[in-house]
Amino acid sequence: MFWRVYWADLILEGILKFALVGEIFALVFGAYASLARLGKTFIRGTGIVLVFAAAVAAAYAPRSEVFGIIHGAFLLEQTTYLIECGVLVSIFVFSTYFRLTWPRQVFGIALGLSVSACIHLATWAMIDNSGLPNSTRLILVFVNMATYHACVMIWFYYLLVPHKVATKSAVPLPENNLDVWNRELERFVHP
């Protein structure tokens, strides 16, 4: 019963993660219509390649000694992290190539998701495909847990700590610069 609930949780989690990645894409590229269309094509192509890569990786993964439903859950998790990691890295590369600026909160969420996806992909691949003893698997599960908590701290930082705005002028501007404008206009009109 636990593993069936775990499967349902994995499927729901995957749907929510991909919806979040889609929202990140929309927030980063939404202001640039033509770039957003090109980016959607690029991300869809990347997604298709990643789905095929994940399917091949799952097909050639060695069968473990554990029950099929457990092995399938590990493969589903590995597949989800492979696709998530690849799409997020593609969004970072695409936006960096076009030198787009990210909103601070969106960048923090994407950074946390990327770190989490990369570490989880590596650990779940090792857990499922390398035939490690249970003690080593347990250590990798704790690494996953620690990574998730570190990502939560990244999200807290980017969402809760206010962004410091740098001053752009060394000389403070007057509160009311109408006097300055008026004086310059008078100088221009009456030389």
Side-chain angles (χ1 to χ4, degrees):
M1 180 65 180
F2 169 79
W3 287 103
R4 289 188 179 111
V5 172
Y6 188 69
W7 265 83
D9 175 60
L10 285 178
I11 292 169
L12 181 64
E13 180 183 342
I15 290 169
L16 289 175
K17 281 183 180 180
F18 291 125
L20 182 60
V21 169
E23 188 65 25
I24 289 171
F25 178 85
L27 290 172
V28 172
F29 296 101
Y32 312 100
S34 60
L35 196 57
R37 283 192 303 272
L38 177 65
K40 282 181 186 178
T41 304
F42 175 72
I43 297 298
R44 284 179 185 151
T46 302
I48 290 170
V49 168
L50 289 169
V51 166
F52 283 128
V56 168
Y60 286 106
R63 298 291 293 165
S64 64
E65 307 83 41
V66 295
F67 297 106
I69 194 166
I70 299 170
H71 178 73
F74 289 158
L75 279 178
L76 178 63
E77 198 145 16
Q78 178 183 333
T79 301
T80 303
Y81 285 125
L82 177 68
I83 296 168
E84 178 188 358
C85 184
V87 170
L88 283 168
V89 167
S90 299
I91 290 173
F92 274 111
V93 168
F94 195 73
S95 66
T96 302
Y97 179 77
F98 288 105
R99 293 183 174 94
L100 300 178
T101 58
W102 291 55
R104 178 178 162 79
Q105 291 85 5
V106 174
F107 177 77
I109 292 171
L111 178 66
L113 277 176
S114 299
V115 168
S116 174
C118 290
I119 299 297
H120 281 75
L121 173 63
T123 55
W124 280 115
M126 290 189 325
I127 287 172
D128 192 45
N129 297 327
S130 61
L132 298 172
N134 286 336
S135 61
T136 307
R137 286 183 183 201
L138 184 63
I139 291 171
L140 291 174
V141 168
F142 280 117
V143 167
N144 276 346
M145 206 175 352
T147 300
Y148 183 75
H149 286 88
C151 291
V152 168
M153 297 307 291
I154 291 171
W155 294 327
F156 278 164
Y157 174 76
Y158 278 97
L159 294 175
L160 300 177
V161 174
H163 179 63
K164 295 179 183 175
V165 179
T167 58
K168 296 185 182 195
S169 175
V171 179
L173 296 175
E175 286 289 324
N176 186 354
N177 57 2
L178 285 176
D179 294 330
V180 175
W181 279 95
N182 191 29
R183 187 176 53 230
E184 291 299 317
L185 185 61
E186 286 291 329
R187 191 177 62 84
F188 181 70
V189 172
H190 303 296

